[in-house]
Amino acid sequence: MLTRRDMLKAGALATVPAVLAGGRAAGAPAARRAAAAPFTVPLRPRRPLRPVRLAGHDFYRLTSREARVSLLPGTTTRIRSLNGRMSPLIVAERGRPVVIEQVNELDVPFAMHLHGGHTTERSDGHPKYQVEPGGRRRYHYANDQDAATLWIHDHSHHTHAENVYRGLAATYLLTDAFERRLPLPKGPYDVALQLRDARFEDDGTLVWDAHGFEDRHTVLVDGRPRPYFEVAARRYRLRLINTSNERLFELVVGDGEEFTHIGSDGGLLPAPVAVRKLALWPGERQEIVVDFARWGVGRRVVLNNAAPYGGEPPEIMRFDVVRPAADHSRVPERLRPLPDLGASAVEREFVMAFDPSTGQHLINGKPFDVDRVDVRTRLGVTETWRIVNADTQFGIPHSMHVHHDFFRVLDRDGKPPAPGEAGLKDTLALPAGSSARVQLRFTDHPGLFMYHCHMLGHVQMGMMGQMELVR
């Protein structure tokens, strides 16, 4: 099947340049692959950033700047960082607002988007509010939504894919009293992990090729290459975030052992689901519980990717069970009930497709235009969106990410969604030729918001629309 990658190799998309690190021409020789041997680098739990707490708010300053960090053993890598770190962590509390002052010390624009956040237009990361080099801006997050695993990334116009690839992504865990009352694993046994891929030169240089997603053979977990992580023989809650530009992870624990799926983009599922494989597409979050007591102290358990690219190992990371521990946690039969969105009053269709004549990815036949409003919808009105991936000729997967509010999946290709998609979502992957219907209702904040594919290379090539929410 002819893919976009094949067409690029054949020169059919000559109008879309491939940009390599260091400004080299697209025809330059490919960099040699560099990676650490699997399970030679330890993974340490991240400590949350410490805010200034004042007047019922938490205040942070995040500076986007270049920094040299150690990713591969024996080398340093220049990244685009937040406060000089790879994968920083913020922990927030429902009802306690967060204010982030974003300072841009890069030579490219930056627009901070809280992915999954219910925010105002001016704090959503809209490109018209992007922070130019040398500028700064304050983002206000009311945290008036249920607990969920969210993340922060760049949403600037034309530079977002490279910025995210080079490191501009943070984890944002929103907690609430309802979730704390549940007997799920807590404290050091509740661990968030950013998963992504990368390509390196032998000297540790991070290589950026806008179309080279199949050549990114080093998997990073919180910036560590295929690490090992020491755990106790008990249950852990693992919050997995895919911050890759275009990489799919199909998660398998050990030799296909059963684990428990408890949450997705919008937080906890209505009920836990026993699974042996779980897809994690770019932008998505999946929360699972793994009981390492079943293996016992001294055992090693590998988290694998069942969908690796050709010629690369499947391992993502290894869990080393190193000590016993008391465990009073459990997974209850019921988690968080779904909200009732009522009957839909409006139906819309969004067709996602690649145009080989222009090299653009389109929604409803149009590339993104910051000066054009594609959809106007009223706050408080429930809608059903039918999303279609029409790329049957090229076999290209797409996904739909909707800003501002979560949605429910009604069906896929006319069939009910799997139990793992029964919760609230903000990013939905669609294989070529498939369709899905989702139900959503926007609330509270009028203004301009985005919807787009979360394969970030596709967004950079036009696959984004703009909606205006009105009262």
Side-chain angles (χ1 to χ4, degrees), residues 47-200:
R47 293 183 178 180
L49 299 179
R50 297 181 63 181
V52 174
R53 301 175 70 86
L54 182 66
H57 289 62
D58 288 348
F59 293 86
Y60 296 87
R61 175 177 291 170
L62 293 183
T63 301
S64 50
R65 59 181 175 86
E66 289 198 346
R68 280 204 167 272
V69 299
S70 176
L71 300 181
L72 301 183
T75 67
T76 59
T77 300
R78 183 174 292 278
I79 66 168
R80 294 176 185 172
S81 74
L82 293 170
N83 292 3
R85 302 187 186 189
M86 195 81 165
S87 308
L89 169 64
I90 289 174
V91 176
E93 169 73 19
R94 177 170 184 164
R96 185 177 180 89
V98 163
V99 178
I100 298 179
E101 181 180 45
Q102 197 274 312
V103 181
N104 188 10
E105 294 182 359
L106 297 170
D107 59 2
V108 295
F110 182 86
M112 185 179 295
H113 172 52
L114 178 59
H115 184 123
H118 183 72
T119 70
T120 64
E121 173 196 287
R122 296 182 65 85
S123 291
D124 189 55
H126 193 287
K128 73 177 183 177
Y129 298 122
Q130 67 187 20
V131 182
E132 299 299 330
R136 63 182 61 208
R137 180 180 181 82
R138 286 188 176 179
Y139 293 81
H140 297 257
Y141 303 132
N143 295 324
D144 56 353
Q145 60 190 91
D146 290 341
T149 301
L150 313 179
W151 65 297
I152 288 171
H153 64 81
D154 179 43
H155 217 294
S156 58
H157 201 26
H158 297 308
T159 56
H160 60 275
E162 183 176 3
N163 276 346
V164 174
Y165 177 79
R166 292 194 179 278
L168 288 174
T171 301
Y172 190 102
L173 299 186
L174 181 60
T175 64
D176 65 12
F178 177 92
E179 187 174 270
R180 283 196 299 274
R181 287 194 296 268
L182 295 177
L184 295 169
K186 295 178 175 63
Y189 309 110
D190 181 356
V191 181
L193 301 170
Q194 283 191 20
L195 277 53
R196 56 158 295 182
D197 56 4
R199 178 183 168 196
F200 294 93

Side-chain angles (χ1 to χ4, degrees), residues 245 281-284 352 363 387 389 396-402 407 426-431 451-456 458-459 463:
N245 273 203
W281 289 86
E284 284 188 321
M352 310 177 84
I363 300 179
I387 308 162
N389 181 344
I396 303 174
H398 297 299
S399 67
M400 177 65 86
H401 170 52
V402 182
F407 54 76
D426 60 40
T427 305
L428 187 69
L430 294 163
Y451 57 90
H452 57 85
C453 181
H454 218 282
M455 307 287 192
L456 295 185
H458 299 185
V459 186
M463 191 165 269

